[in-house]
Amino acid sequence: MSDSSRDTAQGAGWGSAEHGAYRQLLPAPVEKISWLNPRTLWAARNGVLASWFGDPTGRTRSRLVARQSEAGARADKVVRRDVPERFSFMVIGDTGEGDDSQYAVVPGFLKVGQDTDFAVIASDVIYPVGSADDYGTKFFRPYQDYPAPIYAIPGNHDWYEDLGAFMRVFCADASPPVPEPAPRPLTRAWWRGVLWHRPRPTDGQHLADARKLRSAPGQQAVQPGPYWAIDAGPVRIVGIDTGLLGTVDAEQGAWLREVSRGPKPKILITGSPLYVDGEHHPCAIDGGGTVDDIVRDPEHHYVAAIGGDIHNYQRYPVDVDGRTVQYVVSGGGGAFMHATHTIPRVSIANVTERDFRCYPLRGDSLAFYSRLYGRRLRLRRFFTLTESEATAVVAERLGIEPGRAPGPDARVTRRTRLVASLLGTGGRPDRTSRFRLPVRKIYTQLFSPGSATYSPPFFKCFLRLDVTPEAVRLRCFAATGNRAQELDPPVEDEVTIPLK
């Protein structure tokens, strides 16, 4: 097994290394999305409009689900997979940028997942707005050689065109979009409708050709809607759709409560992680209650909750009334990397730094961002930190043992401390000043890069879950874009989750 980032800097992808063969898979030309581009931001405006003028996704989702039921979808929305008691599946989140950062994940994903029974995409299948014309290069092409079915739950970006393309691809819904009833003029709903982004009339003309790339019988699957459950072997996998704003409508909430009943062990897949960046986000359900209330109910027997949306890996083993539920963030499947060095020292729900895991390691994240902004601001000599310097200064600020020991020559200087502070590095809860907290919030919300570098290491990741009647073995594999990690994807984290 190859070194991971916890073993060596080379295992993290640093140093002069041979680029991976993923570049041979890339389409030509490669679309490079920049979230600093005003045109991209304007196309993706529906999330902002929903927060200003009211979120219509619950009503839209209800109409879509009703149409699926009329077409013959199962009322319980449960897919029954005929798999043995021992089987495996993949989880990969936030995939669809269609550039180097997505395609760099593909060789390792195919290698690790070649014998798995199916895969699940957890959030944001297609960037920037879930357009049908983007599915060719951002879904069908990269995963054309994955031999098994792929299920998905939508992320907020898939909702930016009212989920029409997602429903066509994953739910076999070829009907036109469901229009919202016309609101009264000059109301909040009327203004939302006037400004709302909608798909182009010609969108999806190339979808039939794109489907041919995943046309083998073993690759086919139709899911009953944007939320669903899969019964496979000894477990039930429950996927929920958190829409534009990370909430669940009352109708879906009622279904979630019903499908969660019973002693069968369950794994939740959600577009909005419940624990992330050292904070708890229980995910509200319209009408009362939260998703995490359902996960924590011992009668429902959830053993893990895996969420996308945040583009890195995090794991929080939370004690819930004497049993451990693994709360996982797995959104590193293809989009730009969200920083981990901005995560403060973890102390939440009795989870401490000793229990918490993340990828990339905070020091690697800080080194990555220091190089990125050194190039962008043309201040390389000032901003750029070596991976050893970044690891050392993060350990000092958080008061933790680093995941990988810094090199013997690593020095924490005034410059490294200033760079770490400017780039929003987290700190210890007992030392958070009035200055540091706003810096971290501003950095994570405004200065997180809209487009990452296009050379390794990318610090991407995906999950493989091996299920037996006794336990689930969850492993996080790294994808750096370097050839060494393509040939032998390193395991960055591993945990065994008992089912009994």
Side-chain angles (χ1 to χ4, degrees):
M1 183 178 295
S2 64
D3 285 348
S4 74
S5 68
R6 292 181 173 270
D7 299 315
T8 63
Q10 290 73 27
W14 297 114
S16 58
E18 179 185 0
H19 285 192
Y22 75 87
R23 291 185 167 185
Q24 300 171 15
L25 308 174
L26 284 164
V30 176
E31 178 188 4
K32 296 185 177 181
I33 297 173
S34 172
W35 294 102
L36 304 177
N37 186 324
R39 293 181 62 183
T40 303
L41 293 173
W42 176 243
R45 62 189 178 270
N46 285 0
V48 175
L49 295 176
S51 65
W52 287 353
F53 301 116
D55 184 2
T57 56
R59 294 186 298 275
T60 303
R61 183 188 297 114
S62 181
R63 293 194 295 272
L64 292 172
V65 168
R67 191 162 69 184
Q68 289 297 105
S69 298
E70 293 169 0
R74 292 180 59 96
D76 62 5
K77 301 175 183 59
V78 177
V79 177
R80 288 166 174 84
R81 297 284 308 175
D82 184 16
V83 299
E85 289 291 289
R86 298 172 181 269
F87 75 98
S88 303
F89 68 101
M90 306 292 286
V91 176
I92 185 169
D94 298 83
T95 53
E97 282 210 353
D99 56 16
D100 295 58
S101 61
Q102 177 179 10
Y103 278 80
V105 184
V106 172
F109 177 83
L110 295 178
K111 184 179 180 67
V112 172
Q114 60 185 337
D115 62 338
T116 54
D117 290 273
F118 58 90
V120 177
I121 297 179
S123 181
D124 291 339
V125 182
I126 301 294
Y127 293 99
V129 294
S131 170
D133 280 340
D134 285 336
Y135 269 86
T137 56
K138 299 177 182 181
F139 175 72
F140 289 104
R141 181 186 178 105
Y143 310 118
Q144 60 183 309
D145 293 326
Y146 179 68
I150 299 177
Y151 300 92
I153 57 168
N156 57 314
H157 289 269
D158 300 304
W159 268 101
Y160 286 165
E161 289 191 350
D162 290 334
L163 212 64
F166 181 97
M167 296 295 294
R168 293 168 70 178
V169 170
F170 293 103
C171 306
D173 184 354
S175 303
V178 182
E180 188 176 11
R184 289 179 298 165
L186 301 181
T187 61
R188 294 171 71 223
W190 183 85
W191 282 111
R192 183 183 65 223
V194 169
L195 298 171
W196 201 251
H197 171 82
R198 294 178 175 84
R200 301 184 306 273
T202 58
D203 192 37
Q205 289 183 331
H206 307 294
L207 197 53
D209 288 337
R211 287 182 186 273
K212 296 175 183 177
L213 296 174
R214 282 187 50 83
S215 58
Q219 295 176 315
Q220 305 311 302
V222 176
Q223 61 190 55
Y227 56 92
W228 42 259
I230 298 173
D231 275 348
V235 300
R236 171 171 284 185
I237 302 155
V238 180
I240 61 171
D241 169 19
T242 55
L244 279 171
L245 301 181
T247 60
V248 170
D249 62 278
E251 180 181 309
Q252 184 181 181
W255 169 86
L256 178 61
R257 292 184 177 95
E258 182 62 33
V259 82
S260 299
R261 297 184 191 278
K264 190 168 190 173
K266 299 173 187 71
I267 298 170
L268 181 74
I269 310 288
T270 169
S272 299
L274 304 181
Y275 280 88
V276 60
D277 294 345
E279 299 175 348
H280 185 210
H281 298 271
C283 188
I285 298 174
D286 289 350
T290 69
V291 170
D292 203 28
D293 291 338
I294 297 171
V295 170
R296 288 170 174 265
D297 189 327
E299 294 186 0
H300 297 157
H301 200 180
Y302 276 91
V303 297
I306 303 171
D309 189 54
I310 303 301
H311 307 165
N312 53 46
Y313 172 82
Q314 302 174 44
R315 180 169 64 84
Y316 302 81
V318 177
D319 179 86
V320 179
D321 299 326
R323 61 192 180 91
T324 299
V325 177
Q326 299 289 344
Y327 290 87
V328 177
V329 178
S330 182
F336 68 87
M337 184 191 83
H338 278 135
T340 58
H341 68 267
T342 58
I343 302 172
R345 179 171 173 164
V346 171
S347 179
I348 186 171
N350 293 320
V351 178
T352 66
E353 277 293 327
R354 178 173 296 181
D355 311 307
F356 171 69
R357 294 290 183 272
C358 69
Y359 176 78
L361 297 176
R362 290 184 179 95
D364 289 330
S365 171
L366 178 58
F368 175 95
Y369 275 67
S370 74
R371 297 179 188 206
L372 175 65
Y373 278 96
R375 286 191 297 271
R376 286 188 174 179
L377 300 176
R378 299 186 180 182
L379 294 170
R380 297 191 188 198
R381 293 185 62 183
F382 171 73
F383 260 103
T384 302
L385 304 180
T386 68
E387 55 271 22
S388 287
E389 289 173 329
T391 297
V393 73
V394 165
E396 178 189 84
R397 283 180 66 102
L398 272 68
I400 62 172
E401 288 291 326
R404 182 183 69 246
D409 58 341
R411 295 175 57 233
V412 178
T413 65
R414 291 178 63 184
R415 181 184 71 89
T416 59
R417 291 188 181 103
L418 179 57
V419 171
S421 181
L422 290 172
L423 293 181
T425 304
R428 294 171 56 174
D430 59 342
R431 294 185 180 177
T432 300
S433 70
R434 293 182 178 178
F435 172 72
R436 286 181 182 172
L437 183 59
V439 166
R440 184 170 70 86
K441 291 293 186 182
I442 291 170
Y443 178 81
T444 54
Q445 295 176 13
L446 183 61
F447 293 108
S448 186
S451 57
T453 56
Y454 286 89
S455 60
F458 294 111
F459 297 110
K460 302 288 95 186
C461 61
F462 55 89
L463 306 183
R464 174 176 170 132
L465 291 88
D466 301 298
V467 181
T468 71
E470 295 77 29
V472 176
R473 181 191 186 195
L474 182 152
R475 285 177 289 171
C476 172
F477 290 86
T480 67
N482 286 326
R483 183 67 169 161
Q485 285 82 37
E486 267 189 4
L487 295 173
D488 188 10
V491 177
E492 290 292 337
D493 186 34
E494 179 173 348
V495 63
T496 298
I497 307 169
L499 297 181
K500 296 182 178 179

